[in-house]
Amino acid sequence: MPAGEEITVRYPQHVAIIMDGNGRWAQARGLPRTVGHRRGLDAVHQAVRAAGELRIPYLTLFAFSSENWRRPPQEVGELMGLLKLFIRRDLADLHREGVRVKVIGARDNLASDIRCLLEEAENLTRDNRATTLIIAFNYGSREEIARASRRVAEKVARGEARPEDVTPEFLADHMDTAGIPDPDLIIRTSGELRLSNFLLWQSAYSEFVFLPCFWPDFDRKAFEDALHQYGARDRRYGGLSREIAS
């Protein structure tokens, strides 16, 4: 590369993050798991701020899985409390910064106060045009695909659609993420190498970056390291590499 020439980093439009390792971060320090979840909230702030500064249009955070209900009631209560704290404390700042909040996941089994807070966040910020923050809360991808399939089946039963209308694009329009581009990059912290029922449909052509750090240690540098890894990838979507095609 000629002297003085800068490397251009190709940033993704949509980054999704599996925020893993809060409990293990705390246990490694002899602290209660709840302390790890509270420290993880600080990492959420850094990730949202970094996405805005780097002009990434969409950021999805896996906040609470539909499988997380299996955890001890005290820990579930702590996670619900952190969601309330995040919305009540940070919603005004997000709104002022032009962040649009969208929540994906099932809501029918959530407490009424939680549902109201989620709706408040979405309604207040729905016209914002900076980063769209998608919070996957009480979310499981298999359940999402089942919900979408039921919606499509109901339309067919009512005569509003024909079976031959059901294409991948048609089904995608009935997902929780309808209108949102699929994630270009999925980041998972804590060194685990799996999706854990997260965006299974949407991640068909996503790039993956697995980071060894626990989520409370995720910072701007870790985010940029993942983005640089993504920028070095050759995304072919079933076609030829850039070098071969040229």
Side-chain angles (χ1 to χ4, degrees), residues 34-160:
T34 53
V35 175
H37 293 312
R38 289 195 288 271
R39 285 294 297 267
L41 191 57
D42 295 334
V44 169
H45 297 149
Q46 292 201 53
V48 175
R49 186 179 305 114
E53 292 171 353
L54 296 168
R55 298 187 178 180
I56 294 172
Y58 297 90
L59 175 68
T60 296
L61 300 179
F62 199 5
F64 187 84
S65 164
S66 55
E67 284 85 21
N68 287 157
W69 295 106
R70 302 170 187 168
R71 296 189 178 187
Q74 180 181 356
E75 184 169 347
V76 171
E78 173 75 13
L79 292 169
M80 294 294 167
L82 286 175
L83 174 71
K84 294 178 184 178
L85 177 64
F86 177 71
I87 292 178
R88 289 171 176 161
R89 186 183 67 185
D90 301 320
L91 183 58
D93 288 340
L94 293 173
H95 183 44
R96 186 163 47 249
E97 293 165 8
V99 175
R100 178 169 71 106
V101 176
K102 179 174 174 56
V103 182
I104 60 174
R107 302 193 192 186
D108 52 357
N109 62 332
L110 295 176
S112 59
D113 60 334
I114 295 289
R115 289 200 305 270
C116 288
L117 281 173
L118 298 179
E119 291 168 5
E120 176 188 349
E122 289 182 318
N123 291 335
L124 178 65
T125 64
R126 69 170 63 254
D127 295 325
N128 291 343
R129 291 293 178 266
T131 298
T132 294
L133 172 62
I134 301 113
I135 301 173
F137 191 82
N138 195 26
Y139 175 84
S141 189
R142 288 180 172 179
E143 292 82 356
E144 177 195 21
I145 294 170
R147 282 195 303 274
S149 300
R150 284 195 297 272
R151 293 178 189 128
V152 169
E154 289 166 358
K155 283 190 172 182
V156 172
R158 292 193 300 263
E160 298 172 5

Side-chain angles (χ1 to χ4, degrees), residues 10-15 55-58 184-185 227 230 235:
R10 179 172 51 92
Y11 283 161
Q13 268 216 320
H14 184 178
V15 176
R55 298 187 178 180
I56 294 172
Y58 297 90
D184 304 292
L185 169 64
L227 294 176
Y230 167 84
R235 306 187 73 202

